[in-house]
Amino acid sequence: MGLQKLNAIATSTIQGTVTVATTTTIIPSVQRFFASVTLSLGSFTIGASNFRNDNGNTVSALPSPPTYGYYNVYINGNLQPAGSITLATTGLTIASTLSALSSIAIEVVDLSNVTSSSNVSNNFTVTTDITS
């Protein structure tokens, strides 16, 4: 008696769903800085030590512009266009303005504190038919 070889074909059918539920939390970090300075015509920089934080304390450095966030600068309560200002840790550079005593406010919003979690569940069924 010789070896017998069984030839069979297996066909599997997979049916079902995968459900993914993701929760993302963003905790913004907001910092504000204030200064009163006399502005002049042309481009100039207001050094960081001229600014005070929300607690009224003088700061030695301003925050760097956040990678994931934004900053706003207000002069006398008016929001300034992005192209006319540059924020650096050493100070705030203003491209052009009117000459006058002005109130400066910087608002820095950092949105990089992000956490996400996902829950995955599946509901699969596998049916296999074997034919020879």
Side-chain angles (χ1 to χ4, degrees):
M1 171 172 200
L3 272 181
Q4 291 190 2
K5 186 175 181 184
L6 175 65
N7 286 327
I9 297 173
T11 303
S12 295
T13 303
I14 302 172
Q15 293 180 325
T17 59
V18 174
T19 303
V20 178
T22 301
T23 301
T24 300
T25 303
I26 300 173
I27 301 172
S29 168
V30 179
Q31 297 175 298
R32 289 180 293 264
F33 304 91
F34 307 92
S36 290
V37 296
T38 300
L39 302 178
S40 59
L41 294 173
S43 180
F44 62 95
T45 299
I46 303 168
S49 62
N50 290 295
F51 287 90
R52 297 186 179 277
N53 61 18
D54 270 337
N55 297 323
N57 300 322
T58 301
V59 298
S60 58
L62 295 169
S64 296
T67 302
Y68 301 103
Y70 59 92
Y71 66 94
N72 292 318
V73 174
Y74 300 86
I75 298 178
N76 293 330
N78 295 307
L79 181 62
Q80 299 302 296
S84 67
I85 54 168
T86 304
L87 176 63
T89 58
T90 56
L92 178 72
T93 300
I94 300 175
S96 178
T97 189
L98 299 174
S99 178
L101 178 62
S102 298
S103 172
I104 310 291
I106 302 171
E107 174 186 52
V108 180
V109 180
D110 187 343
L111 302 172
S112 63
N113 188 3
V114 177
T115 58
S116 288
S117 62
S118 297
N119 293 319
V120 180
S121 60
N122 65 59
N123 181 21
F124 286 127
T125 59
V126 179
T127 305
T128 301
D129 294 322
I130 300 175
T131 57
S132 56

